[in-house]
Every structure is written in C-alpha cells, then in structure tokens.
C-alpha cells in the first residue's frame, strides 16, 4: 500500500471536501436560526416541528434520499410545481451537498439549540435594557456565548457530510468525479474483486480527515472557551 | 502471535457471530425450526425471484434457506467465514475469486442461465412523452450522426449466424436506431462500467455499436443492476440499459429494444457447491442446472446458458 | 412632572403582583421583604415582563397600556437596570461591556468620563470573571449610566457585598445619583440601606404595593410593619478624640454626637445608623452614666404599634425611639414632652465608612 493517492482517490477526496464544505455552508445559517427558534420560542405545534427537524436522525438515510427524489428529483412534486420539471439537480454534486445538508441539519440544530439554551436569558435581558434590539442581542450576546455549540454543530454536520452514504447514493447517485464521495468510492471498490486494497486506503483517508476535523474543532472550542473566560 | 491461531480465532468469532445472527433470525421467524437436512443457498440478488420460485415448486421451503445480496457481498461474506452450501453468482469473476480462496468444491461450478441487455423506458414516459425514444422518432431528419454510426457498426459487428435464439434481433435495427436518439438533457441509467457487471456488459455493447462516447456523458452509472432499473421506474432517468430479467420483473418499465448477445461477453449465471455442501444442496444444484428448469428461467426473463 | 406613574396587575402561575403609585422623588426607595414581588415589579417597569393589565408611564411616555394593547419593548424604554446579579457580559472585557451600553452615543469621551467616575480605568481590559464583587458592581453601575436612561433601577445593589465592600460602593452610588440627574429607584429589603439614599419610600408586601411616601408619614400611618426601623443620620465629622477613643460628629443643626473612632477625615459627610431600640429616653439629663450621648429634645408624636411604641423625638434631627407601652405611661410621654435621648457611642453604625483600625 503506497501513500500517494491515485487520481481517482484525489477526486473522491476533493469532492468529499467540496460537498462537505457546501453542505456546511447550506446548513449553517438555517441551522442556527432553527436552533435559536427551538431554544427561545414556544409555539403551538412545536413538538411536531421538532420531530420533523430531527426526522433525518432516526429515519434510514435511504428514505431521506427517496424523499428528496420525490420532492426535488426529475419529476418530484416541487420540481414540477416550481421548475416545470426542468430542475437538473438530482445526480449532480449539488444533490450530494443537499443530501448531506438534510442529514446534517438536525445535528447542527441540536448542538446550537442546546448551546443557546445554556446562554443565560438574564444576560439577554440585560442587553435589552441597555438598548440592544433583539437582533443585536442575538448577534452580540447570544451567538458569541453559544459559539462552542455552533462549532460543535458545524463539525458534526461536516463529519456527517463526509460520511453520508444512503441519502447521497439515492438522490445523487454514484457518478465518478461528480457525486462519488469517499464512502461511495469505498463501497464501490468493494463491489469488484481486488478492491480491498483501494478500499482500505480510502478508509484510512476517511479516518485521517475525520480525526483532523475533530482535533480542529477541539482546538477552536478551547480557544473560544478561553475567550469566553470560562475555565476549561 | 501465531497467524494460524489468529486465523482460527477470527473464524471462531465469525462463527459465533453468525450463530448469534442465525439464532436471532430463526427465533424471530418462530415456528420454522430447520430440519436436519437443511442447506443454505447464497444467491445473487438478481436471481432472487427465480430461486424463490424454484424452492417453492421443488417443495424445499423447509430445507432450503435463502440468503440474497450482491454477488460481491456474498463472496466476501463467504471469505469471512459465513457458512453456506451453494452459491449462485451473477458474474464468473466472483466464482474465480472464491476458487482462488479454495472455498469451492472442485468441479462443481456450472452455468445455469444467461441474460441479455435491454433498453427500457418508464411506462409513464412511454405513454405520455412523445419526444422520448420511439421507433418513429428515429427516422427524424434531426437524428444524430450516432444513429447512422450505430447502423454501420451494428451491421459490421452482427454476423448473420449470431444468436439464432435471440428473437428480437430481427427488429433490432429499427429499434436501436431510434432508441439511441436520446434527447440532449435525458439521462441513461446504466450499471457502473467500472465496477458493476451490468455496466461492463453495457459498455462493451455500446462500444461495439460505436455509441459509447456519445452516450457516456448522459449515462447515470448505478451501483447495481436493480438501481438502474429503479431510476427508470422513478423517472429519474429517461431510459436505462438493464438485464432483460430485471426489466421483465418490473411492471413500470417498457422494453424498447434488445441488444444482440454477441455485442458483449456472455452473461453467465453460475452455481457452485461450497466445500462441505450437504447432499440435499448438491441435489438442488443438479436441479438448477437441468434442462427441466429452462422454461421457468424463461418465464423470469432469463435465457438458457450459452453453449 | 411625575417621574413614574403606574397602575398594573400581573399574574403568573404561582405569583401575582398588583402595583400602583405615582413617584416623583429624585430617589425612591422600594422596600419590601424578599419574595414580596420587587423583582417582578422592576421587570414590569423595564419591559422584561408584561403586566396582565393596567398602564405604566415613564416621564411623559406611556410605555405600557393594556387598553390600547401598547407595549414598548425593553430596548426602547430607556430604563437603566442595575441587576442584583450584575449580569456583565462574560465574553466581553470591561471596556466592551461599557461600550455595549454606549453604542448610540458612541462617544469615547463620555465613556472615559464615566469610567473615571467609577474609577474603572485600570480595569478596562479585564474580563468580568477576574473582577471582585465590588469591581463588578461598579462596572454594572457605569454600564447602566452609559445607556442614557430616563430612569434608573437599582436592584439590591449592595447585596452579596460585605461591610467593607459596601462602604466602598456607597460613594459610587452617590456619584451615580449626582451624575444621572434621572429618577432613581433603589430596591432593597434593608431599610437602613435605603434610608442612606432617600426617605421617600414605596412599600411592597405580599405581591402588592401597600403605600408610598415619606418615611415618617409611613411610620406614623403604621404602614411599615416589617423589618427593622432605623434612624439614618447624615452627619459631618467634626474631629477625632483619640485619647477618649471617640469621633465627634455634628448634625446640620450643630448637635454634637459622639461615636466610636471612624476612619474618615474631619469635615467629611457620613451616614450613620442608629436603631430606635438602642436609644433610651429620660426626662432629665443623667449624670454619672456611661452613655456618651445625651441629646435633649421634644417628643413630636407617638406611634402606637401595640407591643411597642415609637416616639419621634426632635433633637435637631428627628429620631425614632422605641419604648414600651408601660414606659409611655410612667414617663407620661406625649407630643410636646421634653425628653433626653441617651445612647452609647458605639450604638452609632457607620454605614458608608469603616471603623478605624484599633
């Protein structure tokens, strides 16, 4: 087993990182917004919304993949309603990013929500009495104090994206260079005799990336903790 | 550490795990306690319907236990110590792989069926979408160069004495001409040519027809034959190239054309006894390869093994 | 103009508050026991809680009116709030905490001025977690002041501080009062603490505002039924008599009072506490007695509280003196009666300065 990666492995690696980065970008703002909403607002039907948000955590990923196909696939009902069936999304790398986004969303929401619930409401009240609008309170008090949760959520969503398989293969297919991310490449290798070696290499790459992401987030979280003046 | 001991330990653990799984499965299935002459058949997923039917008609419900998955998965499970009596594969390469690992009873390998490639479209598209592949459309003045190319290469690569039992060959010419006139945005579901046997046959056939370079950009490679079928069923791809047997099993797709079998390496379904196979299993193996079951295979869209 | 006028009800799952008053003193002490509803009251004023019904008017602006369903959100009310638990932003240093309040004004000079007023310059780069309780409270006061409030609420500003820290903070409270020029509500469960700031009180008990007005009028009408009454006297330090171990202080009307030695400079203004039960009434001066203070005065009124009677005696300042009902009879106490108030030097409690080290 050599260390140098083959072009196909580079391709899968680069694609995985691109898809993960995009899905993180997609999940970031809505994830924070939904986390805040669930942490700070009560409304009728909240339980239902919570269940819906967390559905991807408990449903088989393939089901989510089919759900995406039925909504945003070639003849999905949203595609037909909004794009006149002209939506060319499924089986592109954007579909892979979207599938990862959907799967990572609950992880982001959960982490952010827990972090925001830990932010003392009294500090937000104090900020309000000092003349800060709700938006400014969120930006300057809530969000900075919930930053560790945002980092954790982002990492989880990113990692989920790197490992996402079922929804991706269903909604985005397994197109080399387009949607064949690391796990799909790994699985593909195992479909033919003699694929064990390459599969092992891909597994090692996955492990290295995941560990790197974990270490990075840990370092960032520590920095933030120091900045927040909390003891570690 | 002694590698042999490690190996046996691994096998032992594997066996324990398998036993646990078997126990859970059998207890979950309740009253179907296995009889003493039970045997286990590992079958490629594409063979599932016919093997189930065979088991039923041969009255083997109580003795034959069927485990189906992709051939690659089955082979790797056997290598890791899974215990079975027979293996039925969709591609000879995995039999060779198992032979290499000395898991196959020597001399037990035999061909049990063959298959052919067909071009399918979704029923809904076939009924409602006129621009999609239709025989009339193929004569359109706008038809691409590929169409004429295919005609030329088809003529060149199809010797008149080939595949006498391939009935659709007669109308192949007009069908293929029109079929391959895929609208520019349409997608063609195919098996992944790099890894999936279906994909490799498809690539070979399309290369022989000089269409591969044209259709490749529109192709949607899937991880197995069934997924290719499903993409057409779900209308995520406008057309697909799948096994005739799979297409026959689906009520939601229409076969538009059949590929001559000599355009690609023969599709070979093989069966073999694994080391230590029980007599009942061997008997079932003989049944599988006897001419008596040929009509049944045909019903399921398979062809008799190539001579 | 009335600084603050309100009449509202607020009911929650396990509490209710009913409040109504018109307040126009520069400083109003909000006095009531713990759990009486003081915090809810303040939250309603600041807009952190929404009353069920009624109205609240700050200055000339109606900030809440259930009739028109009007509710001004807290960030638009201009209500400065110094919280009991300070609520400094842990992720911001002192300077950023101050700047948070002063964003609209955005003037560095104002910020510097207030920082100087509360002597925060050396602390500006520190995080709140590294500050002492007193330092945190000074930051909280400065921050509230910088938010340019129209009214300032101080919720138990001295709670959790020991006597030494209190003595440190109290001068800053005075500076705050002088610097803002806006009406101030000083909330505490400790009457003597309030009386150092003001004699104008709003009483809250068991979820309702029971009365408001001047301390004496409230005492006379028997409204203050809870807690220890206290005489809080603003005195001027005259000189120290180190030989006798005494500091000599004077009221505005030049009445001399002796207390134990205090760490203060002659000429300095001090607040001194003197409990009504620590004062003894006699009809004449008593010679050969250890008490250092014998102040002649005249009984203004008697407040009968049943088990005890409070006599309000004018000795140049008005002192509340606790006596038993039998003593009232024996001494024939009544309005106009000439008496002498006796109390020991060490009955004087220095509220805003430290006793001298022995």
């Amino acid at each position: 087993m050599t260390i140098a990666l083959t072009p196909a492995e580079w391709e899968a690696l680069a694609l995985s990182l691109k898809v993960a980065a995009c899905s993180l970008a997609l999940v970031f703002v809505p994830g924070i917004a939904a986390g805040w909403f669930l942490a700070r607002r009560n409304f009728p039907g909240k339980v239902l919304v919570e269940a819906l948000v967390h559905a991807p955590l408990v449903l088989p990923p393939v089901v989510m993949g089919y759900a995406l196909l039925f909504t945003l696939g070639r003849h999905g009902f949203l595609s037909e309603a909004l794009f006149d069936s002209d939506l060319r999304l499924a089986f592109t790398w954007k579909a892979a990013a979207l599938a990862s986004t959907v799967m990572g969303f609950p992880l982001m929401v959960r982490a952010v929500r827990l972090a925001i619930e830990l932010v003392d409401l009294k500090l937000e009240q104090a900020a309000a009495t000092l003349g800060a609008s709700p938006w400014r309170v969120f930006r300057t008090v809530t969000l900075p104090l919930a930053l560790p949760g945002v980092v954790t959520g982002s990492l989880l969503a990113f990692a989920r994206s790197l490992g996402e398989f079922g929804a991706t293969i269903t909604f985005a297919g397994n197109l080399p260079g387009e949607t064949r991310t690391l796990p799909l490449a790994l699985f593909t290798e195992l479909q033919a005799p003699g694929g064990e070696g390459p599969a092992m290499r891909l597994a090692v790459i996955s492990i290295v990336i995941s560990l790197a992401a974990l270490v990075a987030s840990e370092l960032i979280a520590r920095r933030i903790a120091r900045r927040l003046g909390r003891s570690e | 550490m002694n590698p042999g001991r490690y190996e046996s330990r691994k096998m032992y653990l594997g066996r324990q795990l398998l036993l646990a799984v078997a126990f859970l499965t059998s207890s979950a299935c309740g009253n179907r306690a296995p009889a003493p002459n039970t045997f286990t058949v590992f079958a490629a997923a594409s063979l599932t319907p016919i093997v189930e039917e065979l088991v039923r008609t041969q009255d083997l419900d109580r003795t034959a236990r069927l485990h189906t998955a992709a051939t690659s998965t089955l082979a790797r499970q056997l290598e890791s110590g899974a215990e079975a009596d027979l293996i039925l594969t969709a591609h000879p390469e995995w039999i060779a792989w198992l032979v290499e690992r000395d898991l196959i009873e020597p001399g037990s390998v035999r061909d049990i069926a063959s298959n052919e490639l067909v071009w399918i479209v979704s029923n809904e598209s076939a009924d409602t979408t006129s621009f999609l592949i239709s025989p009339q459309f193929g004569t359109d003045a706008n038809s691409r160069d590929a169409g004429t190319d295919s005609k030329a290469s088809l003529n060149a690569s199809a010797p008149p004495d080939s595949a006498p039992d391939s009935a659709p060959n007669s109308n192949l010419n007009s069908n293929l001409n029109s079929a391959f006139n895929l609208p520019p945005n349409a997608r063609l579901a195919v098996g992944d040519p790099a890894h999936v046997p279906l994909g490799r046959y498809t690539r070979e056939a399309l290369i022989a027809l000089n269409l591969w370079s044209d259709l490749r950009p529109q192709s949607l490679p899937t991880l197995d034959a069934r997924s290719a079928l499903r993409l057409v069923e779900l209308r995520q791809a406008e057309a697909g190239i799948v096994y005739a047997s799979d297409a026959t099993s689906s009520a939601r797709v229409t076969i538009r054309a059949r590929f001559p079998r000599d355009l690609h390496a023969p599709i070979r379904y093989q069966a073999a006894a694994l080391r230590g196979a029980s007599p009942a299993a061997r008997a079932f193996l003989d049944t599988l390869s006897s001419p008596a079951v040929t009509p049944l295979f045909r019903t399921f869209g398979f062809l008799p093994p190539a001579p | 103009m009335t600084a603050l006028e309100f009449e509202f009800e607020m009911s929650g799952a396990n509490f209710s508050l009913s409040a109504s008053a018109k307040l126009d003193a520069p400083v109003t002490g909000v006095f009531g026991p713990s759990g009486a509803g003081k915090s809810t009251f303040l939250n309603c004023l600041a807009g952190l809680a929404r009353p069920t019904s009624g109205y609240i008017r700050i200055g000339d602006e109606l900030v809440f009116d259930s009739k028109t369903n009007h509710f001004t959100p807290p960030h638009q009310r201009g209500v400065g709030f110094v919280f009991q638990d300070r609520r400094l932003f842990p992720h911001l240093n002192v300077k950023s905490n101050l700047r948070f309040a002063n964003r609209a004004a955005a003037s560095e000079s104002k910020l510097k001025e207030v920082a100087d007023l509360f002597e925060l310059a050396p602390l500006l780069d520190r995080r709140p977690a590294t500050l002492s309780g007193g330092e945190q409270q000074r930051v909280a006061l400065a921050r509230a002041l910088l938010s340019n409030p129209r009214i300032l609420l101080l919720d138990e500003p001295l709670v959790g501080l020991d006597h030494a820290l209190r003595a440190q903070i109290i001068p800053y409270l005075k500076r705050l009062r002088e610097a803002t020029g806006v009406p101030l509500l000083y909330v505490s469960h400790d009457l003597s603490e309030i009386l150092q700031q003001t004699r104008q009180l709003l009483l809250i008990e068991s979820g309702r505002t029971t009365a408001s007005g001047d301390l004496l009028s409230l005492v006379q009408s028997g409204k203050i039924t809870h807690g220890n009454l206290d005489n809080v006297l603003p005195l001027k330090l005259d000189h120290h008599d180190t030989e006798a171990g005494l500091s000599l202080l004077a009221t505005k009307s030049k009445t001399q009072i002796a207390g134990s030695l205090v760490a203060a400079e002659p000429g300095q203004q001090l607040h001194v506490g003197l409990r009504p039960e620590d004062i003894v009434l006699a009809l004449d001066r008593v010679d050969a007695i250890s008490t250092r203070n014998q102040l002649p005065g005249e009984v203004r009124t008697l407040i009968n509280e049943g088990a005890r009677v409070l006599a309000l005696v004018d000795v140049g300042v008005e002192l509340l003196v606790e006596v038993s009902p039998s003593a009232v009879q024996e001494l024939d106490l009544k309005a106009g009666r000439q008496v002498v108030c006796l109390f020991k030097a060490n009955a004087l409690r220095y509220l805003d300065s430290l006793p001298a080290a022995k």
Side-chain angles (χ1 to χ4, degrees), chain C residues 93-234:
Chain C
N93 64 18
V94 170
K95 191 169 196 177
S96 301
N97 263 282
L98 297 182
R99 205 175 272 147
F100 193 99
N102 194 35
R103 203 180 64 132
S107 98
E108 285 291 312
S109 61
K110 174 84 187 290
L111 192 141
K112 192 177 172 306
E113 183 188 313
V114 173
D116 286 345
L117 185 67
F118 290 94
E119 294 171 47
L120 295 173
L123 308 178
L124 285 178
D125 293 325
R126 303 253 302 266
R127 298 253 172 205
T130 68
L131 302 179
S132 71
E135 288 167 337
Q136 289 184 9
Q137 186 61 290
R138 270 151 59 198
V139 177
L141 292 172
R143 192 177 66 169
L145 179 57
L146 276 168
S147 70
N148 272 329
R150 292 185 297 173
I151 182 170
L152 199 49
L153 314 179
L154 303 185
D155 189 6
E156 302 272 11
L158 298 182
V159 86
L161 301 179
D162 62 23
H163 186 82
L165 277 175
R166 284 175 180 231
Q168 279 177 32
I169 288 295
I170 285 167
Y172 292 107
L173 290 176
K174 191 178 164 201
R175 291 185 192 185
L176 175 70
R177 221 171 53 213
E178 287 162 357
T180 57
V182 301
L184 201 143
L185 258 59
Y186 189 106
V187 177
S188 178
H189 66 285
D190 181 347
L191 187 57
S192 49
E193 186 187 321
I194 291 177
L195 293 177
Q196 293 169 62
Q197 305 292 334
T198 180
R199 293 168 77 86
Q200 295 299 317
L201 301 178
L202 170 68
L203 306 181
I204 299 189
E205 252 177 276
S206 319
R208 54 190 318 117
T209 54
T210 50
S212 65
D214 180 73
L215 169 73
L216 286 178
S217 70
L218 292 172
V219 171
Q220 283 173 13
S221 56
K223 298 286 190 189
I224 299 182
T225 57
H226 166 86
N228 297 321
L229 275 177
D230 201 359
N231 295 294
V232 175
L233 313 174

Side-chain angles (χ1 to χ4, degrees), chain A residues 58 81 84-85 96 144 182 187 230:
Chain A
V58 292
D84 202 16
S85 267
L182 280 176
F187 183 75
R230 291 181 190 156

Side-chain angles (χ1 to χ4, degrees), chain A residues 66 69-70 73-76 80 86 88 90-92 165 169-170 173-176 180 184 187-196, chain B residues 70 72-73 76 79 93-94 97 101 125 185-187 192 194-197 200 219-224 230-231 234-238:
Chain A
Y66 275 113
L69 270 185
F70 288 133
R74 275 273 152 110
H75 299 274
E80 303 212 316
D86 209 26
R88 295 283 180 257
F91 308 107
T92 65
F165 181 85
I169 201 162
T170 313
N174 182 26
L175 311 176
R180 183 175 293 164
L184 269 64
F187 183 75
T188 306
E189 288 296 347
L190 288 176
Q191 295 310 294
E196 298 83 359
Chain B
S72 56
T73 308
R76 288 185 198 285
E79 194 213 7
E93 67 183 6
W94 285 106
W97 192 80
R101 280 154 183 77
S125 316
N185 262 333
R187 292 266 207 178
D192 184 345
H195 302 87
V196 185
R200 269 179 264 166
S219 73
L220 199 55
T222 63
L223 214 46
D224 53 49
R230 202 168 304 122
L231 286 183
L234 294 174
R235 295 201 295 153
Q236 298 303 319
E238 280 71 5

Side-chain angles (χ1 to χ4, degrees), chain B residues 137-154 176-178 180-182 209-215 218:
Chain B
F137 207 74
T139 57
D140 195 298
N142 291 336
S143 94
R144 291 179 303 175
D145 293 348
T148 43
D149 282 356
S150 79
K151 193 187 287 174
S153 67
L154 187 66
L176 283 189
N177 265 338
S178 53
F180 299 145
N181 187 21
L182 208 54
L209 291 171
N210 207 12
L211 286 169
W212 176 242
S213 53
D214 282 324
L215 289 177
Q218 283 171 267

